Each structure stands twice: as structure tokens, then as C-alpha cells.
Amino acid sequence: MDVEITVIDDSDIVGWAASATRIGEIYMQDVASMVNHVLQALRVYTRSPTGTAAPQISYNRLSRLNVIDHGNPQGLQIGSDWISIATLPNFRPTLALLAGNFAPNGFVHLQHCNIGQNRVLLIELARTFGVPVYAGTGKHNPVYRLNFGHYVRANPDGSFDAEASRP
């Protein structure tokens, strides 16, 4: 089954407000916890009809991964971790664990202020995840779920759409 997952850093008032206006979100403290919690949320346990065999584990696929935290034109926060083009190599192996867990039309929506202004970082993140990454170029309001700039889309092949539709 394809599922949408929203991950929030609720360690401040902005994250708390974002979580108060959603149902079923999961929480993160850093990149490692985000990836672990997303993979745990995708896991499905199936028991045999008789209950005698060990549970079988399968995984749902991500149709959409929403990540909500702070950002600026230089980078984005995932919990206590700061990702910029300079620090991405430190986080790429962990973030890449999500690649391969997306549905054929799956994507990532970064809901961080101004991160859509960083074309290079977004393309590198799209390559890391193996799916398109959407972001806004202006301030993001997580309660009303909109960006006051315009939306962009970075693709794993290195292409970039500077006038993307809102995901």
C-alpha cells in the first residue's frame, strides 16, 4: 500500500503548532530518528491465519513524505541536525536509507522556510532520495500548510522546475 507520512520536529512552538493541526504525524529529533521512525511506520506485520508461524514483515511504500522544520536559503533543519550543501555528505548515507521505499510517483515535500531558494541542495537531496523533492521559496506556515513564495521541484536526474505546482 502507498502511504503519506508527515514528520515533524515538535521541540519548539512552531513544531508544536504544526503537530496540533495534524493527525497521525510522527516525530523526529534528528536525521537518524527521522529515517528510523519513517521506516518503522512503513513496516507491516502479518500473522499466519493459525498464528503458528512467525510474523511476516512487509513494507508499505511512501507516496509522499512531508518533512516539517526550520530552514533558510542556505539549508534546512531536521531536528537538531543542520543540512546544507557542506554538511549533506555527513547525512547522505542515513537519508539514502529511504531511497527505494517510495512508490513510483512518490516524492518528498520539504516544508521549511526559504529552502526552495537552494537549487543545488534540493537537487542533491532528490538524488539521495531517488525521487523529486518539492519546496517553497518563501516563508512556510505549517498551520495553514502553505508557502508564501512559489514552489520548486528538484528531480533525481538533476533537472529543476522553478515554477512547480503546489504538491
Side-chain angles (χ1 to χ4, degrees):
M1 178 189 317
D2 298 345
V3 296
E4 177 177 334
I5 293 179
T6 298
V7 188
I8 301 173
D9 173 7
D10 67 339
S11 65
D12 63 16
I13 189 67
V14 175
W16 181 88
S19 65
T21 61
R22 287 166 174 77
I23 296 173
E25 70 279 2
I26 60 177
Y27 299 98
M28 62 184 170
Q29 294 75 41
D30 53 22
V31 169
S33 68
M34 180 189 81
V35 170
N36 287 333
H37 294 164
V38 168
L39 292 174
Q40 287 173 4
L42 292 175
R43 193 173 297 143
V44 178
Y45 295 95
T46 309
R47 292 202 169 272
S48 69
T50 61
T52 57
Q56 297 296 311
I57 300 173
S58 61
Y59 291 87
N60 289 321
R61 298 177 306 173
L62 285 163
S63 60
R64 176 180 180 138
L65 175 61
N66 301 303
V67 183
I68 303 172
D69 209 336
H70 298 289
N72 64 39
Q74 287 73 48
L76 61 103
Q77 194 173 357
I78 295 183
S80 60
D81 292 328
W82 180 253
I83 299 177
S84 66
I85 201 65
T87 64
L88 181 58
N90 301 327
F91 300 107
R92 189 184 305 264
T94 304
L95 292 170
L97 294 172
L98 294 177
N101 288 288
F102 287 88
N105 293 321
F107 63 91
V108 174
H109 182 192
L110 298 176
Q111 298 178 35
H112 299 70
C113 290
N114 305 310
I115 193 58
Q117 296 176 36
N118 194 327
R119 178 183 298 224
V120 173
L121 180 58
L122 293 179
I123 289 171
E124 288 305 312
L125 287 169
R127 287 178 172 148
T128 300
F129 291 124
V131 294
V133 173
Y134 288 82
T137 60
K139 299 294 182 196
H140 186 82
N141 185 310
V143 173
Y144 292 114
R145 303 178 191 199
L146 59 92
N147 191 282
F148 290 100
H150 60 276
Y151 289 93
V152 299
R153 184 185 68 239
N155 298 304
D157 66 4
S159 63
F160 190 84
D161 183 356
E163 296 293 331
S165 298
R166 183 182 189 279

